[in-house]
Amino acid sequence: MIFRQLFDPTSSTYTYLLGDGGEAVLIDPVYEQVPRDLALVHELGLTLLATLDTHVHADHVTGAWRLRQRCGSRIAASAASGAAEADTPLQHGDRIPFGARYLTVRATPGHTSGCLTYVLDDESMAFTGDSLLIRGCGRTDFQQGSPQQLFASVHEQILSLPGACLLYPAHDYRGITVTSVAEERRYNPRLGGDVDVGDFTGHMNNLHLPHPKLIAVAVPANLRCGKPEGDAPTDTPDWAPLTLRFSGVWEIEPMALLERLDQVQIVDVREAPEFIDRLGHLHGATLVPLSELTGRMDEFDRDQPIVAVCRSGVRSAQASVLLTKAGFTKVANLAGGMLRWKIEGYPADSDPA
């Protein structure tokens, strides 16, 4: 069996690829990482049968819909989640085959009402989503969460697996990649050892955590299985390696831009004092504050690649949208803006020209 653990640094999400007999499934794909995932599937000579989300995520948008558009994979999600666009609504006890192997679906609600855990046929591996994290668990204070329900789910459906069963969560914020049932039974401070449901409930009800920053975007989008509202770009640009954000904006990484500085137009949409501040500006950049951009677009060639830049990537993302609407066909936003460019040590000019 082929097994790969992939990582999205923006949301600290793990995506899992399992393959056998030329067939594969992806667990918890991330919208922006679809090109990476497809490239790996193709390189390994696999056909992607289905994407499986462990729950309706609040911190990133699933790549399920985008993968279906690109390669025809089916979308499988919890029936209890009510997610539209799902081809296969999953129930407790369902089996998901790939090659000669299969995953068994276990309902593990509590973090959200539609949480699922996927268990490999020989019970050597399980993919727990946010129901059980490494030495932790998902929060229970929104999306129909319930500490009592999560406690029961984890003990009855996950920690009841063989002690040697490896557990792979949807996230880890410290870079730890895997745990085991035996470890979590003993060392999980929330759910292991002698902790009972009263201890767990008291702890979870007093976390007082802020809501995820992307919750207002991610939850509605994930209830559509990652399908954007309105028209979504479908063709991948070939003039540079770009990443499509869920907002519809294409982004270019600093290294990729550095390699192409003499091949693209650069429009810096900050204000004039920022252009020569400590961050400096890209060599050859044209300063056009965002407020002036609409009236100065004729200064640029609509058929040549153009990259928008600002301090952090927020204003330049809006500039990218404006440029695209105005008919520019090759537009990208510099990921992370000049802040990231400077942090990564790339050269910048500081003179007014």
Side-chain angles (χ1 to χ4, degrees):
M1 187 186 78
I2 294 172
F3 172 66
R4 298 289 185 272
Q5 183 177 38
L6 308 169
F7 185 66
D8 174 58
T10 301
S11 61
S12 295
T13 298
Y14 287 124
T15 296
Y16 301 98
L17 173 69
L18 291 88
D20 184 72
E23 298 179 337
V25 295
L26 265 176
I27 299 173
D28 287 336
V30 175
Y31 189 90
E32 289 83 2
Q33 298 292 354
V34 164
R36 175 204 66 184
D37 298 347
L38 280 176
L40 180 60
V41 168
H42 293 156
E43 286 177 3
L44 295 175
L46 300 170
T47 297
L48 185 63
L49 298 183
T51 55
L52 320 173
D53 274 297
T54 54
H55 61 292
V56 174
H57 302 275
D59 49 11
H60 71 273
V61 176
T62 177
W65 178 86
R66 193 176 174 198
L67 283 161
R68 186 175 68 182
Q69 295 298 107
R70 293 287 299 276
C71 67
S73 52
R74 295 180 64 79
I75 299 174
S78 167
S81 71
E85 297 291 329
D87 302 299
T88 308
L90 297 174
Q91 304 277 3
H92 182 83
D94 286 348
R95 286 187 177 184
I96 302 160
F98 58 100
R101 309 300 297 269
Y102 64 86
L103 293 166
T104 299
V105 177
R106 293 194 178 195
T108 50
H111 169 56
T112 73
S113 59
C115 281
L116 301 176
T117 291
Y118 301 106
V119 182
L120 192 60
D121 44 37
D122 61 1
E123 297 189 343
S124 63
M125 308 167 74
F127 303 89
T128 59
D130 283 8
S131 296
L132 185 66
L133 303 176
I134 299 172
R135 306 298 191 269
C137 64
R139 60 197 293 172
T140 58
D141 58 336
F142 63 87
Q143 288 183 271
Q144 301 83 45
S146 163
Q148 296 87 355
Q149 195 172 42
L150 182 57
F151 186 89
S153 292
V154 170
H155 281 271
E156 294 170 10
Q157 302 299 334
I158 300 175
L159 296 184
S160 60
L161 289 163
C165 179
L166 298 178
L167 303 178
Y168 294 90
H171 304 279
D172 190 87
Y173 305 98
R174 301 157 297 170
I176 305 174
T177 58
V178 64
T179 185
S180 71
V181 169
E183 286 180 58
E184 297 306 313
R185 285 176 187 163
R186 182 173 181 181
Y187 296 117
N188 191 299
R190 297 183 182 181
L191 289 153
D194 296 324
V195 173
D196 66 12
V197 65
D199 297 328
F200 180 70
T201 300
H203 177 81
M204 298 303 291
N205 285 343
N206 288 281
L207 289 178
H208 306 304
L209 298 172
H211 277 192
K213 295 178 181 179
L214 293 180
I215 186 172
V217 173
V219 170
N222 288 327
L223 286 170
R224 302 189 302 272
C225 295
K227 181 180 180 180
E229 290 185 302
D231 296 328
T234 55
D235 295 330
T236 302
D238 58 5
W239 61 270
L242 304 181
T243 298
L244 179 64
R245 295 298 170 190
F246 186 72
S247 62
V249 172
W250 290 99
E251 286 192 345
I252 186 168
E253 295 294 313
M255 175 58 80
L257 179 56
L258 181 66
E259 296 171 345
R260 295 166 176 80
L261 273 180
D262 60 348
Q263 305 168 27
V264 302
Q265 307 170 94
I266 306 292
V267 55
D268 192 315
V269 298
R270 294 175 293 170
E271 298 299 316
E274 297 177 272
F275 194 67
I276 54 174
D277 68 7
R278 62 180 181 82
L279 293 177
H281 55 266
L282 300 183
H283 184 71
T286 300
L287 174 65
V288 181
L290 184 59
S291 60
E292 301 176 17
L293 182 61
T294 301
R296 295 179 57 185
M297 288 186 181
D298 288 343
E299 297 178 23
F300 301 95
D301 187 337
R302 279 174 161 73
D303 296 322
Q304 293 300 312
I306 184 167
V307 176
V309 179
C310 71
R311 176 180 175 274
S312 65
V314 174
R315 282 174 285 176
S316 51
Q318 179 62 23
S320 298
V321 172
L322 293 174
L323 289 163
T324 301
K325 288 183 177 179
F328 288 79
T329 58
K330 300 175 182 178
V331 181
N333 181 35
L334 175 60
M338 290 303 299
L339 282 173
R340 183 169 165 193
W341 184 271
K342 195 76 169 182
I343 288 171
E344 296 188 6
Y346 299 122
D349 295 343
S350 57
D351 60 283

